[in-house]
Amino acid sequence: MNTAEFCRNLEEVLDLPSGTLKCGDVLAQLEAWDSLAVISFLAMADEKYSAVIPPKRIPECKTVDDLVALIRETGK
Amino acid sequence: MSVNPLDLSGKTVLVTGATGGIGRGTAVLLSSLGARLIVSGRKLDVLESTGGKLCGVGHRVSTFDLARLEAIPEWLSGLIQEIGPLDAMVHCAGVGSLLPLRLLRTEHLEEVMSVNFYSAAVLTREFARKRAHREPASIVFVASTAGMLGTPARTAYSASKGALIAFAKSAAMELAKSGIRVNCVAPSYVATEMYERTMASLTQEQLNALVENTQPLGLGTPADVAGAIAFLVADTSRWITGSVLAVDGGYSAQ
């Protein structure tokens, strides 16, 4: 998985314009990052990267990069 | 002399989804009320565990995947040939789904509708055949408050349970003259394996908000739902058909 591809997938599930997400973006500052976005991210991680992420790990993630690291850690 | 209005002695009841929390709790309660049970589910080891918890003797365990819709008639008629007509059927089999609309695919919709709704429709059609049931008969579907009230990320699940409720009402009208009552229970959040699987994608804060803020009586148990099902199976509900009994800790009262 490369980070750029992940950003495009996350943009897709969060309904953001293509190319708007960057690695260092702070999740708390993204208007689209809400409880439904978290569920969407978890479903996308499972579907696209076979990564079953425990939801309690999500609060650890502060940036888009942290989400990528979490998928790399938990994915197959 | 004491009388138990929920007495099910001499009744034969099919419980689908008996490997899940509500199905297992229902089977155990109905057997303790005197019913002879046929319990079905996909996983033999879990099903046998349910069978081992039943009170009394003469129960049957039958593994079957209800997603095989075309095989349901042969499976059910085989059971009935073996043990005789059914007095009641409780359809607990179902699959949970928590998926935001943006990620919804037709394949996912089809899977949820197939297990939660299409199987109920086929089972009802087969149960309604003259040789399959004994009057007065009762069918109970485990629907959900999600079939009546909206919840984010549960569109597929809600649609399947809403379809089940609508189906039950029409089937109740169609089958009343055949001596078959058709009703639903509508649980909300109940402590079952499905609840744990479905809610595994929520954080603890989201879970707390879901249960504590929506159900004044807290998280339900399978036994809470089983009690309502027993009422709808027994003659206590002989004048009730086409109804939806909310078993939801107050969820739908708000």
Side-chain angles (χ1 to χ4, degrees):
Chain A
M1 175 189 64
N2 70 58
T3 308
E5 171 204 287
F6 170 78
C7 285
R8 301 298 83 79
N9 285 331
L10 191 58
E11 286 163 354
E12 169 66 23
V13 299
L14 299 185
D15 198 22
L16 294 170
S18 182
T20 52
L21 276 181
K22 303 286 183 294
C23 306
D25 283 351
V26 177
L27 297 170
Q29 291 174 359
L30 295 173
E31 195 179 336
W33 189 252
D34 57 14
S35 57
L36 211 52
V38 171
I39 297 172
S40 300
F41 163 71
L42 294 169
M44 182 268 279
D46 187 7
E47 183 184 315
K48 303 270 188 192
Y49 304 107
S50 301
V52 180
I53 298 172
K56 63 185 176 188
R57 300 286 309 272
I58 298 297
E60 298 169 15
C61 299
K62 306 300 178 199
T63 67
V64 171
D65 261 343
D66 294 338
L67 296 177
V68 173
L70 195 53
I71 286 180
R72 285 185 174 140
E73 183 189 327
T74 54
K76 288 172 186 168
Chain B
M1 186 182 103
S2 66
V3 174
N4 180 2
L6 294 175
D7 182 33
L8 296 175
S9 300
K11 306 273 190 187
T12 303
V13 184
L14 168 65
V15 176
T16 71
T19 50
I22 290 176
R24 183 166 54 244
T26 298
V28 171
L29 178 60
L30 298 186
S31 71
S32 75
L33 292 168
R36 179 171 63 147
L37 270 292
I38 305 162
V39 289
S40 80
R42 284 179 299 179
K43 297 174 184 166
L44 180 62
D45 55 336
V46 188
L47 202 54
E48 284 180 337
S49 162
T50 299
K53 292 184 171 74
L54 300 178
C55 307
V57 294
H59 308 297
R60 297 294 171 92
V61 166
S62 178
T63 51
F64 186 74
D65 182 358
L66 288 167
R68 294 172 56 219
L69 298 172
E70 73 292 343
I72 289 176
E74 190 182 347
W75 170 68
L76 196 59
S77 70
L79 280 174
I80 288 160
Q81 270 186 354
E82 194 184 332
I83 54 149
L86 302 172
D87 296 282
M89 174 174 74
V90 183
H91 185 48
C92 304
V95 61
S97 166
L98 191 69
L99 198 66
L101 199 48
R102 188 161 301 283
L103 295 173
L104 195 61
R105 305 280 182 269
T106 50
E107 296 81 9
H108 180 74
L109 266 176
E110 193 62 36
E111 181 198 344
V112 175
M113 289 299 283
S114 184
V115 177
N116 291 358
F117 170 53
Y118 299 160
S119 65
V122 176
L123 279 168
T124 301
R125 184 190 69 202
E126 297 306 310
F127 181 94
R129 293 187 191 280
K130 282 183 180 157
R131 278 175 295 183
H133 69 275
R134 187 164 48 200
E135 298 181 30
S138 172
I139 296 174
V140 182
F141 296 134
V142 176
S144 167
T145 50
M148 302 181 287
L149 302 166
T151 312
R154 304 199 85 188
T155 50
Y157 184 75
S158 296
S160 70
K161 294 297 187 178
L164 192 57
I165 289 169
F167 176 84
K169 288 175 183 285
S170 282
M173 294 299 100
E174 190 168 331
L175 298 176
K177 283 183 180 170
S178 303
I180 303 172
R181 297 181 296 106
V182 187
N183 293 287
C184 295
V185 292
S188 48
Y189 301 113
V190 177
T192 62
E193 295 90 338
M194 183 195 285
Y195 169 82
E196 286 174 14
R197 272 197 308 273
T198 308
M199 300 308 169
S201 54
L202 298 185
T203 63
Q204 193 57 50
E205 291 72 24
Q206 288 172 318
L207 268 180
N208 291 345
L210 268 180
V211 177
E212 291 174 14
N213 298 339
T214 58
Q215 297 183 180
L217 299 184
L219 190 62
T221 68
D224 294 325
V225 184
I229 290 171
F231 165 72
L232 290 171
V233 167
D235 290 341
T236 39
S237 58
R238 62 167 290 280
W239 204 50
I240 300 174
T241 195
S243 75
V244 184
L245 177 55
V247 190
D248 63 1
Y251 181 97
S252 60
Q254 301 178 69

